Amino acid sequence: MSERDFIFKICICGDFAVGKTSLIKQYIEKQFEKEYKPTLGCDLFRSDIDIEQDAKNIHCRLVFWDIAGQEKYLQVRPLYFQGCRGALMVYDTTRPETFQNITDSWLKDFKGNVREDTSYILIGNKVDLEESRLVSTDEGRELAKKINATKFIETSAKTGDKVIEAFKSLVIAILKQFGEIR
Ligand code: G3D
Ligand code: MG
């Protein structure tokens, strides 16, 4: 079997400089292909993943939509979210305002523009900067619960800590939502 079973559009949400692009690059390493969409102010990255579960091998093509410098412009977001199947909601653990903006801005917009059953996980990034941390693991965990995120993971796009796990768990959540796996 070499055909891809699914193609998923994944949106990476979060304020400027939380580490969205770094997370994608850390995840897909050298095998990424990038395409810039100037009208949207967005970069597109593509990567394939095989999920082996429930005695199935499911081939997925992931297309990551990465807002590039237009994080503040709310008017581009409906287009950005169109057809989105899953999202990473990313904040920077050293900048509380980026944590606050998950609920105040990103999640609100996301909910208003995607299908109700679209999966999302909450990511607290930059945990390697432990001495500058201002958002605790407990606060992150609580927010994830409050907003009904599928999962909460703390990552470092710099060291690579938990990055693969984060992306993979989102794909698994999407496949569960589709009823492909249990
Ligand atoms: P964005 O795409 O959300 O705007 P970027 O964010 O991926 O461009 O990252 C913004 C800055 O944070 C970059 O630094 C990047 O190297 C840094 N960064 C991203 N993730 C991490 C992390 O996990 N740990 C640390 N220590 N730094 C991180 P520069 O200096 O290039 O602007
Ligand atoms: Mg970026």
Side-chain angles (χ1 to χ4, degrees), residues 16-17 19-22 43 66-69 71:
F16 181 71
K20 300 182 295 297
T21 306
S22 303
D43 287 322
D66 179 26
I67 283 191
E71 287 89 340

Side-chain angles (χ1 to χ4, degrees), residues 64-112:
F64 298 112
W65 285 52
D66 179 26
I67 283 191
Q70 306 232 7
E71 287 89 340
K72 279 193 197 151
Y73 301 107
L74 295 171
Q75 64 272 26
V76 303
R77 294 208 199 152
L79 264 175
Y80 178 64
F81 284 128
Q82 204 171 69
C84 168
R85 290 296 179 199
L88 299 180
M89 297 280 160
V90 187
Y91 65 89
D92 177 344
T93 51
T94 71
R95 287 189 296 142
E97 71 276 15
T98 67
F99 180 68
Q100 191 60 42
N101 276 337
I102 296 290
T103 31
D104 290 358
S105 175
W106 292 99
L107 193 73
K108 234 181 250 171
D109 246 47
F110 174 78
K111 293 277 186 188

Side-chain angles (χ1 to χ4, degrees), residues 13-26:
C13 308
D15 287 356
F16 181 71
V18 295
K20 300 182 295 297
T21 306
S22 303
L23 283 165
I24 296 171
K25 288 190 170 165
Q26 176 66 249

Side-chain angles (χ1 to χ4, degrees), residues 29-62:
E29 291 167 302
K30 290 180 191 68
Q31 39 139 348
F32 67 84
E33 295 173 59
K34 183 171 127 168
E35 186 190 329
Y36 183 64
K37 293 266 174 206
T39 46
L40 269 176
C42 226
D43 287 322
L44 267 55
F45 298 87
R46 210 158 60 190
S47 174
D48 294 343
I49 182 173
D50 285 353
I51 300 289
E52 284 172 47
Q53 203 161 307
D54 298 353
K56 287 182 183 172
N57 187 9
I58 305 166
H59 308 274
C60 305
R61 164 153 290 182
L62 310 178

